[in-house]
Amino acid sequence: QEAGKAGFDEIVIAPVLTDKLSRLSGSRSIPAGKVEVSYEKKEERIEFKIVIPENVRATFKMGDLQLELSSGENEIVVE
């Protein structure tokens, strides 16, 4: 959740990766529903699957990459 915001109507997904894990998944329940995030490293890229509940604004941030996410399932490939 962004600083200064309440109710989880705006969230930020900002993964911090480690070389020790090639895949990871997790979820968090918020008032609007469940946020789900998973990733898998494949050769020279990382594939993310992110599920955002309806009526929640979400942003994905990783390095210089910043993307607005939509409700439902989002797939992001970072090379």
Side-chain angles (χ1 to χ4, degrees):
Q1 174 166 309
E2 292 242 24
K5 301 291 181 179
F8 292 95
D9 57 347
E10 293 184 32
I11 60 173
V12 176
I13 308 294
V16 178
L17 306 181
T18 174
D19 291 334
K20 296 180 181 182
L21 297 174
S22 61
R23 71 182 129 201
L24 184 68
S25 65
S27 63
R28 168 97 190 239
S29 292
I30 62 173
K34 187 188 291 188
V35 176
E36 301 175 46
V37 178
S38 65
Y39 78 82
E40 184 172 358
K41 294 179 183 177
K42 294 185 175 181
E43 297 175 17
E44 298 297 317
R45 67 180 196 235
I46 306 166
E47 297 178 358
F48 291 90
K49 290 186 182 176
I50 303 169
V51 179
I52 303 297
E54 293 288 326
N55 301 316
V56 175
R57 263 186 82 190
T59 304
F60 176 87
K61 293 182 180 181
M62 185 172 174
D64 293 334
L65 180 63
Q66 182 169 320
L67 301 169
E68 296 299 317
L69 303 175
S70 59
S71 298
E73 187 171 305
N74 296 266
E75 294 187 11
I76 300 167
V77 176
V78 177
E79 308 250 355

